[in-house]
Amino acid sequence: MKFFNREKEIKEITSILEGEPNSIYFIYGSINSGKTTLINHIINEKLKNNNKKKYAVFYVNFREYDISSMDNFVEALFEIDENSKDNKMKSYIEYFTKGVNDISNLYYGIKVPEPLLNRLFGEKEKGRLVFKFIRDLFMSLNNKGIQPVFILDELQMIKEVSMNGGRPLLKSLFQFLVSLTKERHLAHCLCLTSDSLFAEFVYNTGELEGRAKHILVDDFDKETSLRFMDFLAKELLNKPEIPNEQKKIIYSLVGGKPIDIYNIIDEMRYKELNDILTTILNDERNKLRYFLEDIEEDKELYKNIIDALCLFKENYEVEDFKIPKKIRNILINKNILFLNPQKGTVKPQSYLIWNAIKKVI
């Protein structure tokens, strides 16, 4: 399916990538707001069609791995280069750099020969050697006039991992990314997360002050959502548009969540709209009911959760301090609420969840 919208975010991120690396960028948003789709569109359409600059993009998705140790982290970062058996870092980096010639090259992980990867796994201080290899690789690409772009998707997955010696991996990684961007200006570093508590943690991390910036990829606004529905009508239903009344009903239930809108329009190929909407609202309502049932025996917790959810009977978004932090974090971890640390607000993860809250509470 063709990509839809996000002109504002595309312009902002491509402008960043066309400039000199100076900051780490944390791209965050509620679940299924389209962060990864947006980044892939920028890589495959905007960077490849940029005749001014050559890029080498290294994309790592930590969601694909069970990251519980430093070995898992190394495994996620690197992909074996089947065309090389080199076991020396310097000579392999020279070999790899010579092969990067196109306007934009995309690598899922950082290519490395198996003998070198075995060295990285066997090294007592893995972090030091891993970061040195990446730094030297990016320096070599820079010297050839190629701009590295380092993308770490779902970075929160390594939050609890420690390096050898017990030092938090995330702290060392942050320091390394700062050296790549703010200090050496070697690579653009984009970190994606759908965990808004992690986005808040990063936002409040003192050592990143002045070194990291946040970009919100939010759900579509109403006007964009309605246009998206007509776009999908052409793509999925072979119709010029969806009747206005149906569009209004869809938006009133799921708002601007792209995946929810897509799923509804797709099911309209073989189901009645009212049946689709009734089913998805019942599903979301039951999930919330079962969550409340699970905590009902803890009277104080149950009351505090109900009090927090009651704030959304009339409002879609409220100031975060209106909900005690412990209760707020429980609801965020359950993917019921989404925190925007830049605005200091919380809201339901989607309009659908908001409608479920109003039905249950």
Side-chain angles (χ1 to χ4, degrees):
M1 188 179 75
K2 290 182 285 188
F3 186 79
F4 181 81
N5 199 256
R6 297 295 186 191
E7 287 88 356
K8 175 178 170 288
E9 293 90 345
I10 290 170
K11 182 178 180 181
E12 181 176 6
I13 294 171
T14 53
S15 296
I16 289 165
L17 297 179
E18 287 170 358
E20 181 183 68
N22 279 303
S23 297
I24 308 167
Y25 285 88
F26 287 88
I27 300 173
Y28 74 109
S30 58
I31 293 172
N32 294 322
S33 63
K35 299 173 292 297
T36 300
T37 301
L38 169 66
I39 290 300
N40 279 310
H41 175 76
I42 290 172
I43 292 168
N44 292 311
E45 298 298 327
K46 299 300 179 180
L47 298 190
K48 285 189 175 180
N49 294 322
N50 188 325
N51 296 319
K52 301 176 184 176
K53 203 168 186 178
K54 290 184 179 180
Y55 295 91
V57 181
F58 300 89
Y59 176 89
V60 180
N61 188 348
F62 291 114
R63 179 70 75 184
E64 297 176 356
Y65 300 86
D66 178 16
I67 310 291
S68 58
S69 68
M70 189 64 193
D71 279 347
N72 298 146
F73 175 68
V74 174
E75 182 183 18
L77 275 181
F78 294 100
E79 293 288 331
I80 292 177
D81 187 342
E82 301 287 354
N83 298 318
S84 174
K85 300 298 179 185
D86 208 324
N87 62 2
K88 294 181 179 178
M89 288 175 57
K90 185 176 180 180
S91 59
Y92 174 70
I93 287 172
E94 290 175 358
Y95 157 80
F96 180 85
T97 305
K98 286 179 182 177
V100 182
N101 294 311
D102 295 335
I103 289 294
S104 179
N105 294 262
L106 172 61
Y107 304 95
Y108 289 98
I110 298 168
K111 294 287 186 180
V112 63
E114 192 168 6
L116 269 181
L117 186 59
N118 291 337
R119 271 189 65 193
L120 293 174
F121 273 115
E123 184 73 19
K124 188 174 182 181
E125 295 185 28
K126 294 183 181 68
R128 181 187 62 82
L129 192 61
V130 164
F131 295 150
K132 181 181 185 304
F133 177 82
I134 296 172
R135 181 202 66 195
D136 291 350
L137 174 62
F138 289 176
M139 286 178 65
S140 180
L141 289 167
N142 261 270
N143 290 336
K144 196 183 175 186
I146 298 167
Q147 176 66 72
V149 180
F150 197 22
I151 301 174
L152 304 175
D153 204 344
E154 300 294 359
L155 185 61
Q156 76 277 359
M157 302 300 291
I158 70 167
K159 187 177 177 181
E160 305 301 327
V161 179
S162 297
M163 302 174 68
N164 293 1
R167 179 179 172 84
L169 170 59
L170 198 59
K171 185 178 180 67
S172 294
L173 179 61
F174 282 164
Q175 291 178 343
F176 175 61
L177 297 182
V178 168
S179 75
L180 291 179
T181 55
K182 191 76 174 177
E183 295 172 0
R184 294 178 179 269
H185 313 292
L186 285 177
H188 288 291
C189 297
L190 307 180
C191 302
L192 281 62
T193 183
S194 56
D195 183 338
S196 56
L197 288 181
F198 181 73
E200 181 194 32
F201 165 75
V202 171
Y203 189 76
N204 293 321
T205 300
E207 64 197 57
L208 292 179
E209 188 172 353
R211 300 176 173 93
K213 297 179 180 178
H214 282 59
I215 298 174
L216 174 66
V217 178
D218 210 348
D219 295 339
F220 292 150
D221 60 25
K222 184 174 182 179
E223 180 186 350
T224 305
S225 300
L226 300 181
R227 287 195 289 112
F228 185 45
M229 292 177 204
D230 285 338
F231 168 81
L232 291 175
K234 297 182 184 75
E235 292 282 314
L236 302 175
L237 306 179
N238 198 27
K239 294 181 179 179
E241 61 183 16
I242 290 174
N244 285 333
E245 283 306 311
Q246 288 189 338
K247 286 191 287 191
K248 289 177 183 177
I249 292 170
I250 294 170
Y251 184 80
S252 69
L253 184 66
V254 300
K257 182 71 68 181
I259 189 64
D260 288 343
I261 296 172
Y262 177 91
N263 288 337
I264 290 169
I265 306 300
D266 185 47
E267 288 192 29
M268 285 173 67
R269 293 184 295 111
Y270 51 89
K271 288 183 181 179
E272 292 295 323
L273 179 60
N274 285 342
D275 292 339
I276 298 169
L277 300 184
T278 299
T279 298
I280 62 174
L281 180 57
N282 282 341
D283 285 347
E284 206 60 57
R285 184 184 61 186
N286 288 337
K287 288 177 190 175
L288 183 57
R289 284 180 51 247
Y290 294 143
F291 162 67
L292 293 173
E293 190 176 58
D294 287 342
I295 63 170
E296 198 167 8
E297 290 185 5
D298 187 331
K299 301 299 184 185
E300 184 179 359
L301 176 62
Y302 181 80
K303 178 184 181 304
N304 289 333
I305 292 288
I306 294 295
D307 288 345
L309 294 178
C310 280
L311 294 173
F312 299 97
K313 287 287 284 182
E314 302 295 334
N315 301 290
Y316 182 56
E317 190 170 36
V318 302
E319 292 174 300
D320 56 4
F321 70 85
K322 290 186 175 180
I323 302 175
K325 188 167 185 177
K326 176 186 174 183
I327 304 303
R328 187 173 76 220
N329 288 356
I330 289 172
L331 291 168
I332 292 170
N333 279 322
K334 287 291 182 180
N335 290 324
I336 295 170
L337 297 184
F338 171 76
L339 170 68
N340 183 333
Q342 291 177 288
K343 290 175 63 179
T345 59
V346 284
K347 63 182 181 180
Q349 280 276 358
S350 68
Y351 254 51
L352 184 57
I353 292 175
W354 187 36
N355 279 299
I357 291 171
K358 290 187 287 185
K359 286 284 186 182
V360 172
I361 303 301

